[in-house]
Amino acid sequence: MITEKTFRNDGYAKVTGRAAYADDISFAGTLHMVPVYSDLIAANNVVVDASEAMKVPGCIRVLTAKDVPGTTCFGQIEQDYPMLITDTIRSWGDVVALVIAETRTIALEASELVVVHGDPVKPVLTIEDALKPYARVVPSYGDSNIVVHHRMRHGDPEAMFDQCELIIEEDFETQIIEQGYMEPEAAICVPRHDGVIEIYGSMQHPFSTRRFTGALLGEPLSNIEVYTIAVGGGFGGKDDTAAIVCARAALGARLLSRPVKMTYSREWSMRESYKRHPYKLHYKVGVTSEGQILAVKTQMYADSGAYLSVTPWVTWRSTAQCFGPYSIEHVHADVYGVATNNVFTGAMRGFGSPQVNFATEQLIDMIAQRLNVHPLGIRRINMVKQGSSTVTGQVLDQHTVSMEEVMNSTVHEIGYRKKYDRCSHGVSETDELYGIGLSISYRGASLGAEGMDFCSAIINGQYDGSILLETGIHENGQGSESVMMIVLAEELGIQLKRIRYRRSSTSTIPDSGTTVATRGTIMGSSSVVIAAKNFKELLATHLAERLKCTPEEVTFHNDKIWGLTFAQSLTWEEAMKELFLQRVTPYAFGTFKAPDVSWDDTVGQGNAYFTYVYSCQAAEVSVNKKTGKIKLLNVVASHDIGKAINRAMVLGQIYGGVTQGIGMALSEEIKREDGKITTLNFDTYKIPRITDLPEMTGIIVENSDPQSLTGAKGIGEPALELIAPAIANAVYNATGIRCTSLPLSIDPQELK
C-alpha cells in the first residue's frame, strides 16, 4: 500500500501552539526551583551560607550537597559531574545550591542572598597550560589533564614521507559552539502516591535522565518514570545537562513531597550546559606529484572542560574519521581530550567530525592548488570507492559506496566546473570577490564501535482496529515518530490514520540507547519492521482459519487482511474483534540489533561502523573588498541517505543542518574571559538569521542499504558537518586567503 510521504503526526499541534513543552505543564501545589552559581572559577573548601535566603517569605528550602541522599556526582562514562558541588568548584558553570520557593519570583529573590565562600585556586584555562609538565590536575580522578588518548596506527607514514614530492604541514583551530536550541532546559517532577517520581522534561534521552536521577536520589530505577513530551530542539545538547536539571527537580520533589518545576533562563543554560569541543589540529600530509596521498600524520587536542562527559566518544569518532572519506595506506593519528577549568564540552550534532572535516577538506584544496590540479581530480584520485579500505582497515563492500555519485550530483547541479574557472582569487574590477568551494564527507552511521546499537518497538492492536506504536527512539523535534508510523503503515498495508504513536515512558519501552549519532531512523525503523513481522505472524496464525487459508497465505494490503481470494478478507475492525473472541492479545515486540562492528583501541583499527552516509556540499560566496564581509550566495547539498522514508523531512533536515553549519562557519562562537562565558544570549551569540541564508538546494541520493531493514540510513548530522570547509574553500577561491580557524574572518587590509 502506498502511504503518504509528507507527514508529521505532531505538525498541527506545533504550528497551532497546542503542543505542551516542559514549562507548559503544571500541577497543583507546584514549587519552583532555581540554581545558585558562584563567581569562582576554581576553588577548594567551598561553603554555602543560605541563612539570609531562608528568611525570604515563601522560600521553602535551600538544597546543597549535604541534602543529597544518593551520590552528587554522575556521568555517562566517568562519574565525575557534580549535580551539586560538594567542596570543590571546577568551572563557572558549577551549581552550588538549589533554592525552592512557592513562586519563581521568590526563588530568584532568595537565590541572590545565598553566599558562597571558598579558597580560590588559579584556573587552568587553555590546552597549552593544561599540558605543561607541572600543571595543576583539574579532574577529580586520575593524575593527568589528558583524560583520553586515542591512537590510530595504519601503515608507516614516516617511511613514506621520503617518497612524496609534496609535503604540507598545517594547523587548524575550531571554536566553542553552543547548540542553540530554542527551548532552554526545563523539568517538572511529581511524587506519586505509590512512591514513584514522574519526570516531564526537555531532554534528549529519558533513560539517561532516569540514570542521573536514580544516582542523585539513591533509588532504584523502577522508582523513576520519565515521560516523553515535546522538546524544543536538542542537537546533542539536551543529554547530560538536561538530565541533571530533571534530577535536581526530582530531588526537590522527593524531599518536599510536592511537585517541583525548574525552568532555565537562556543565561543559565548557556552558562552551565556543555558545548561543542573546540579543537586544535595539526596535519602533515605527503602527496605524489600526480596527487595521490601517500601518508598522513595528525595530532588533535580537544578541550574537554572541567568534566569528562562524552569526550572519549567524540574524540573516538575524530580518530576513526581522521582524514575524511579517503583511502590512504599510511596514517598515524593521536587524538587527545584535555581537561581545563572551562565549562565542560560534550555532544553536539556531528560529534567530532565537523572539526576534522574543516581541516581535511581544506587540505585537499591546498594540495590541488600546490600541484596545480583541479580540486575534483584530487578527490577522485583519493576518495573511497566500492571495495576500498578505510584508514581503519575496513573494506567497504557491504553497501553502495556512492562518494563519487554524490559529488557528481552536487557538481552538476551547481555548475561547479564553469564557476570554479570564474573565481576571483583576490582580483576583481568591482568591490565583490567571487568564489565557489566544495567539500565531501562520509559519516559512519549510528554509534559504531563506540557504543552498543540496538532498538526496540512495540505494536499494540486495539479492539476497534486502531493500532498503538512506540519505539525506543526519542522524538526531539526531528520527526522520528512520523517516520516510524510511515514504516509501520507500509509494513501492515494500512492507512496512517489507524496508527497512534503512543507517548512512551521509561516504564513502557526498554532502553534503546540515546537518540544521537544519526541513528534514529536506521535503528528505530528497523525495529518497527521486526515488530511488524512478529505482529503479522501472530495475526496470520490466528486468522488463517477464518480466512480459509494457511498462515503463510495470509497477506496484508489495502487496509485489510486477506486470504487467497477477494471474497476472503477481514477489515482491521473485524480482525481485532475475532482475536478478542479467541482470547488472543494482538501485541508484538521487536528488537533490531545492528550488524557487528569491531575495534582495536591500541592501534585504532577495525570495522568502525556497519555502514556509511556519503555527502557532498558546495557553496558560492562573495567577499567585499572594503569590509571583508562574507556573503553566501548559493548552497547545493547532496546526500546518499539510503532510502528516503519521508522526503519532505529529509529535505528539512538538510536545510536545517546546512543552516547550523553556516553558523559554525561564519558567526557562532562562545566567548570567554578568565573562564567566564560572556556570550550568554542570542544578542551576543550570533546564530544565522533568515537574512543570512542563501538559496539552498537539497538533493536526495538513494542507494538502499542492505544493513538497514528499511534501506534507510540517516541525515541529521551529515548535513551539518561539511558546509564550513566548503565555505572556507570558496572564500579562498574568492580572496586567495586561506582561513584555518573558525569562525571565518577576512581582514579587509589583506585584500588591498
Side-chain angles (χ1 to χ4, degrees):
M1 180 177 184
I2 298 175
T3 55
E4 191 175 355
K5 287 291 190 175
T6 301
F7 169 71
R8 280 297 295 251
N9 65 315
D10 57 356
Y12 181 79
K14 288 183 174 178
V15 299
T16 58
R18 296 179 62 189
Y21 296 82
D23 193 47
D24 297 321
I25 300 171
S26 60
F27 294 88
T30 295
L31 297 171
H32 295 265
M33 174 184 283
V34 301
V36 178
Y37 303 96
S38 166
D39 248 7
L40 296 167
I41 307 301
N44 298 321
N45 305 316
V46 176
V47 177
V48 179
D49 181 358
S51 56
E52 292 301 312
M54 287 301 299
K55 294 177 183 178
V56 176
C59 180
I60 304 298
R61 191 162 175 180
V62 178
L63 302 180
T64 67
K66 295 178 181 178
D67 298 299
V68 174
T71 177
T72 58
C73 290
F74 198 65
Q76 296 197 59
I77 299 174
E78 185 74 37
Q79 280 70 60
D80 68 328
Y81 189 89
M83 292 178 271
L84 275 170
I85 68 105
T86 50
D87 61 352
T88 303
I89 289 174
R90 289 186 169 83
S91 87
W92 194 58
D94 289 357
V95 171
V96 298
L98 302 166
V99 176
I100 306 174
E102 292 289 352
T103 69
R104 181 177 173 87
T105 300
I106 295 171
L108 289 169
E109 179 186 349
S111 69
E112 295 294 325
L113 301 176
V114 177
V115 179
V116 181
H117 303 283
D119 299 328
V121 296
K122 184 179 180 181
V124 178
L125 298 177
T126 67
I127 289 172
E128 291 79 7
D129 285 345
L131 295 176
K132 288 179 179 178
Y134 300 104
R136 184 175 57 81
V137 175
V138 174
S140 59
Y141 58 92
D143 57 0
S144 170
N145 286 326
I146 296 177
V147 293
V148 64
H149 175 201
H150 293 296
R151 302 171 181 82
M152 174 181 289
R153 301 294 183 262
H154 187 73
D156 185 0
E158 283 295 344
M160 297 304 296
F161 282 130
D162 291 338
Q163 301 181 32
C164 298
E165 284 82 10
L166 171 66
I167 293 178
I168 291 179
E169 286 200 63
E170 190 62 72
D171 293 296
F172 299 88
E173 186 170 358
T174 65
Q175 78 278 48
I176 313 165
I177 289 182
E178 164 78 19
Q179 288 83 353
Y181 31 79
M182 291 293 100
E183 178 202 23
E185 296 81 358
I188 184 165
C189 299
V190 186
R192 270 190 347 220
H193 66 87
D194 60 357
V196 170
I197 291 282
E198 291 184 354
I199 297 177
Y200 305 83
S202 177
M203 77 204 89
Q204 281 192 233
H205 187 44
F207 290 93
S208 288
T209 298
R210 187 173 66 160
R211 287 191 287 271
F212 275 94
T213 304
L216 192 66
L217 300 185
E219 296 184 20
L221 298 179
S222 56
N223 280 13
I224 303 152
E225 185 163 8
V226 186
Y227 287 92
T228 292
I229 60 173
V231 175
F235 315 119
K238 285 185 177 170
D239 205 336
D240 291 18
T241 309
I244 291 161
V245 170
C246 292
R248 290 170 183 153
L251 174 65
R254 176 61 85 213
L255 294 178
L256 298 175
S257 298
R258 287 176 64 178
V260 171
K261 176 181 281 189
M262 191 178 199
T263 300
Y264 267 38
S265 68
R266 179 65 60 189
E267 287 75 13
W268 296 344
S269 175
M270 295 187 78
R271 175 176 184 164
E272 183 183 340
S273 66
Y274 57 84
K275 318 299 178 194
R276 171 176 283 155
H277 293 73
Y279 268 52
K280 293 181 182 293
L281 311 97
H282 177 80
Y283 277 88
K284 181 179 180 181
V285 183
V287 192
T288 69
S289 58
E290 290 80 22
Q292 182 180 357
I293 301 171
L294 294 185
V296 173
K297 285 192 72 174
T298 180
Q299 297 85 39
M300 307 180 205
Y301 296 89
D303 186 343
S304 180
Y307 305 107
L308 186 67
S309 186
V310 293
T311 292
W313 296 338
V314 171
T315 50
W316 177 82
R317 187 174 282 267
S318 301
T319 312
Q321 299 180 216
C322 67
F323 203 79
Y326 301 102
S327 184
I328 304 166
E329 290 295 323
H330 302 274
V331 182
H332 283 187
D334 291 277
V335 186
Y336 302 89
V338 182
T340 66
N341 285 116
N342 293 312
V343 173
F344 75 128
T345 48
M348 186 181 173
R349 213 173 198 182
F351 221 67
S353 286
Q355 300 93 324
V356 170
N357 291 342
F358 176 67
T360 57
E361 283 305 289
Q362 287 203 82
L363 283 164
I364 294 297
D365 267 32
M366 293 166 70
I367 292 168
Q369 186 264 330
R370 293 279 294 274
L371 293 177
N372 197 26
V373 176
H374 200 285
L376 297 179
I378 291 292
R379 288 176 170 85
R380 292 191 205 281
I381 291 169
N382 294 285
M383 67 171 55
V384 290
K385 303 175 180 67
Q386 199 69 43
S388 290
S389 177
T390 71
V391 294
T392 73
Q394 180 174 359
V395 178
L396 301 177
D397 58 0
Q398 298 298 306
H399 64 276
T400 300
V401 180
S402 57
M403 191 71 266
E404 191 162 20
E405 181 182 359
V406 296
M407 187 174 79
N408 289 343
S409 177
T410 296
V411 166
H412 174 75
E413 176 65 27
I414 204 168
Y416 184 86
R417 288 185 175 277
K418 288 184 179 179
K419 290 178 179 178
Y420 181 77
D421 292 336
R422 294 197 288 107
C423 290
S424 299
H425 300 291
V427 179
S428 73
E429 296 180 358
T430 69
D431 287 339
E432 296 298 323
L433 300 167
Y434 170 81
I436 188 170
L438 172 145
S439 64
I440 65 174
S441 74
Y442 72 169
R443 179 174 187 83
S446 208
L447 297 176
E450 67 184 332
M452 305 299 292
D453 255 344
F454 57 96
C455 184
S456 299
I458 294 171
I459 300 170
N460 194 342
Q462 304 299 296
Y463 182 75
D464 64 352
S466 60
I467 292 172
L468 294 174
L469 169 67
E470 58 185 307
T471 74
I473 296 300
H474 189 249
E475 174 63 69
N476 300 328
Q478 76 275 37
S480 66
E481 293 180 357
S482 304
V483 166
M484 307 310 157
M485 292 172 68
I486 290 172
V487 170
L488 182 60
E490 292 188 344
E491 288 295 315
L492 298 183
I494 60 176
Q495 297 178 21
L496 273 167
K497 64 183 181 181
R498 284 199 181 276
I499 304 171
R500 164 69 62 183
Y501 198 97
R502 185 181 186 277
R503 183 185 75 173
S504 51
S505 82
T506 51
S507 298
T508 62
I509 190 84
D511 188 352
S512 296
T514 53
T515 304
V516 296
T518 316
R519 67 187 296 272
T521 296
I522 192 170
M523 300 303 298
S525 66
S526 292
S527 71
V528 171
V529 170
I530 292 176
K533 176 177 177 292
N534 296 338
F535 191 65
K536 289 190 288 187
E537 287 179 356
L538 174 73
L539 268 58
T541 298
H542 294 280
L543 297 175
E545 184 176 352
R546 173 79 180 268
L547 293 169
K548 298 181 180 179
C549 64
T550 66
E552 293 75 23
E553 293 169 331
V554 175
T555 57
F556 300 79
H557 55 88
N558 285 39
D559 207 38
K560 287 186 177 182
I561 304 170
W562 300 83
L564 289 176
T565 68
F566 285 107
Q568 302 301 327
S569 67
L570 293 170
T571 67
W572 280 85
E573 291 81 359
E574 293 168 337
M576 293 299 104
K577 290 176 183 178
E578 174 66 24
L579 292 173
F580 178 81
L581 294 174
Q582 295 183 30
R583 294 179 292 179
V584 172
T585 302
Y587 175 96
F589 176 81
T591 296
F592 173 68
K593 298 179 182 177
D596 290 339
V597 291
S598 61
W599 190 255
D600 181 348
D601 203 43
T602 61
V603 291
Q605 295 293 286
N607 294 343
Y609 306 97
F610 60 85
T611 194
Y612 291 79
V613 175
Y614 299 91
S615 306
C616 177
Q617 294 179 357
E620 294 179 77
V621 305
S622 67
V623 181
N624 187 278
K625 289 193 291 188
K626 292 182 177 180
T627 65
K629 180 177 175 56
I630 302 166
K631 181 180 180 180
L632 276 172
L633 305 174
N634 187 24
V635 169
V636 172
S638 300
H639 299 270
D640 181 354
I641 47 80
K643 175 186 175 184
I645 293 174
N646 190 332
R647 296 186 68 86
M649 285 203 306
V650 172
L651 291 172
Q653 287 289 310
I654 290 174
Y655 301 141
V658 168
T659 300
Q660 283 188 307
I662 289 170
M664 174 183 175
L666 297 178
S667 63
E668 295 186 38
E669 183 176 18
I670 289 288
K671 300 285 184 65
R672 301 179 298 202
E673 292 180 7
D674 300 323
K676 298 179 182 180
I677 294 173
T678 59
T679 45
L680 289 173
N681 213 320
F682 292 134
D683 57 345
T684 52
Y685 184 83
K686 302 293 187 179
I687 62 174
R689 302 165 299 176
I690 190 67
T691 53
D692 298 320
L693 301 181
E695 289 293 320
M696 287 189 272
T697 302
I699 300 173
I700 300 171
V701 177
E702 294 183 274
N703 289 288
S704 186
D705 197 291
Q707 308 295 329
S708 165
L709 299 188
T710 60
K713 292 189 273 197
I715 185 56
E717 292 167 298
L720 162 76
E721 65 184 16
L722 73 163
I723 192 62
I727 295 172
N729 286 333
V731 168
Y732 174 81
N733 291 330
T735 64
I737 298 171
R738 179 63 65 184
C739 299
T740 57
S741 62
L742 289 172
L744 303 174
S745 178
I746 295 294
D747 182 352
Q749 296 299 317
E750 296 185 49
L751 297 175
K752 293 182 178 179

